[in-house]
Amino acid sequence: MSDLLYSEEEEALRAAVRDLLTDHCDTTSVLARAESDAPHDLAAWKALADGMGLAGLLVPEARGGQGATHREAAVVLEELGRAVAPVPYLTSAVVATEALLNCADGEGTLTDLASGRVIGALAVGLHTAPGAAYATVRADGGALHGELTGIADAAVADVLLVPADDGGLYAVTADEVTVTPQTSLDLTRPLARVTLDAAPGRRVGDAEPAVRRALRAGAGLLASEQLGVAEWALTETVRYLKDRKQFNRPVGGFQALKHRLAQLWLEVVSLRAAARAAADALATGEDTDVSVTVAQAYAAPVAVRAAEEALQLHAGIGMTWEHPVHLRLKRAKADSIAYGTAGAHREALAELVDLRAP
């Protein structure tokens, strides 16, 4: 296995992304967007994708991208998770891009996605685990008919990658479909229903291997986003408990709270190891399925617990709408069922290592 510590280049990338998100995605603006009809921050997306070239990290230079690896993409996602940035990075720059990397006829669309000027979305429900069954639409002579639900970031996608019942994956432009918003717990990553009524599509490749590859990458790198959420929760809670005083002493000095924070720190450090291992496995191709399932089996409960602890330990102020902790809790809860639940990944892991339940 490679060295899982962050390289100097990765830390420099983190600093640059964090600076940009500090300018674009402060809590007030994220919350204001979440309460509006347009939760996505397209200015932040343009700065990340076009300005910094981060949309093409996973695309080879020969195909119009940056030629980086999943390790760099993971660092970006850690920072996006920390800020709960409402940008379609995971859905477009990771999942849709990975699907197209597996398609022989998707070059033009892949180049567009890598440039950041076009946003893509794989039209598979966000809850779908790698290897699980997924809904398809009916293909009839190049026209697509059907309805797909739970599609993340479909509202801002310029092109949708739609799996059809003939085994093909089709690129469909957004103006050929009807996108209807669905209620989502996570206001910063909205879901939608996509309806196709004789929508023209261009076949870019075979759906099954492309979808499987895309969902595996999505699940593996989602762990890094969950790490970002958990790290924010831990850092902000420690900071608050150092400042908050009761009986004329910092609340963080009480032993019961020290124990809770120490336990949470151990879990977050373990999550970092699992997330880094998954990103490295995706980059190198070594033990990828096992590393991804381990990361996802572990990440969801830790991220949710970190956000729950942050809310509880901030006490009354943590329960207010104005405080940013609820955005992290909702992202952690939504992520806990994205690309497969922890239970689904544990079952998959049992099959992979031949340790099935009796």
Side-chain angles (χ1 to χ4, degrees):
M1 181 178 281
S2 309
D3 184 351
L4 298 184
L5 297 176
Y6 299 102
S7 67
E8 288 184 14
E9 292 79 7
E10 288 164 354
E11 290 293 6
L13 174 62
R14 178 193 308 284
V17 173
R18 189 174 295 188
D19 283 349
L20 187 149
L21 293 176
T22 300
D23 292 339
H24 283 275
C25 294
D26 60 282
T27 295
T28 304
S29 61
V30 171
L31 195 54
R33 289 184 182 282
E35 295 178 288
S36 74
D37 293 331
H40 291 95
D41 189 340
L42 294 180
W45 168 252
K46 182 174 173 58
L48 283 165
D50 198 4
M52 294 181 69
L54 299 183
L57 282 182
L58 299 180
V59 181
E61 290 184 57
R63 301 169 77 176
Q66 302 297 320
T69 73
H70 299 80
R71 289 174 60 117
E72 287 79 17
V75 170
V76 174
L77 280 162
E78 284 179 35
E79 292 306 312
L80 295 178
R82 182 187 291 270
V84 285
V87 295
Y89 190 85
L90 182 65
T91 45
S92 182
V94 175
V95 176
T97 295
E98 284 277 347
L100 286 170
L101 284 167
N102 210 91
C103 294
D105 300 317
E107 287 299 313
T109 309
L110 180 65
T111 303
D112 289 342
L113 259 61
S115 72
R117 290 185 288 273
V118 168
I119 297 171
L122 179 66
V124 172
L126 182 63
H127 62 280
T128 311
Y134 52 87
T136 60
V137 298
R138 180 169 58 86
D140 184 10
L144 304 174
H145 307 260
E147 185 175 275
L148 300 164
T149 58
I151 311 303
D153 295 332
V156 288
D158 302 300
V159 61
L160 292 151
L161 303 177
V162 182
D165 60 0
D166 65 353
L169 188 68
Y170 290 82
V172 181
T173 56
D175 54 8
E176 301 288 353
V177 304
T178 302
V179 177
T180 309
Q182 291 181 279
T183 302
S184 171
L185 176 66
D186 180 6
L187 301 174
T188 61
R189 181 174 284 147
L191 306 178
R193 178 186 298 109
V194 175
T195 306
L196 300 94
D197 184 10
R202 178 175 66 86
R203 184 173 175 137
V204 292
D206 295 333
E208 200 279 328
V211 170
R212 187 175 66 246
R213 172 175 174 166
L215 295 183
R216 185 176 69 173
L221 292 184
L222 179 67
S224 291
E225 177 180 292
Q226 290 164 306
L227 170 61
V229 172
E231 286 192 322
W232 179 93
L234 176 62
T235 302
E236 287 301 306
T237 305
V238 169
R239 185 183 62 77
Y240 175 75
L241 294 182
K242 283 181 176 179
D243 292 342
R244 177 83 167 87
K245 287 187 170 59
Q246 198 169 40
F247 306 118
N248 207 30
R249 61 180 285 196
V251 173
F254 293 107
Q255 193 172 38
L257 300 190
K258 285 183 178 180
H259 286 175
R260 287 172 70 169
L261 291 172
Q263 179 61 39
L264 190 57
W265 181 83
L266 288 171
E267 293 180 15
V268 171
V269 169
S270 298
L271 171 53
R272 184 184 301 123
R276 291 298 290 164
D280 187 70
L282 285 164
T284 61
E286 297 176 13
D287 291 329
T288 308
D289 288 334
V290 170
S291 296
V292 168
T293 51
V294 166
Q296 268 309 306
Y298 189 74
V302 172
V304 170
R305 211 177 80 75
E308 288 175 344
E309 287 286 81
L311 188 143
Q312 289 182 19
L313 295 176
H314 275 83
I317 194 172
M319 296 296 293
T320 62
W321 184 258
E322 291 75 21
H323 195 276
V325 70
H326 71 89
L327 292 172
R328 273 73 181 185
L329 179 56
K330 290 168 184 171
R331 172 62 68 89
K333 290 292 283 185
D335 281 357
S336 72
I337 58 172
Y339 304 118
T341 62
H345 284 283
R346 281 194 292 271
E347 288 184 21
L349 181 61
E351 290 289 327
L352 287 169
V353 300
D354 199 23
L355 276 176
R356 301 169 192 83

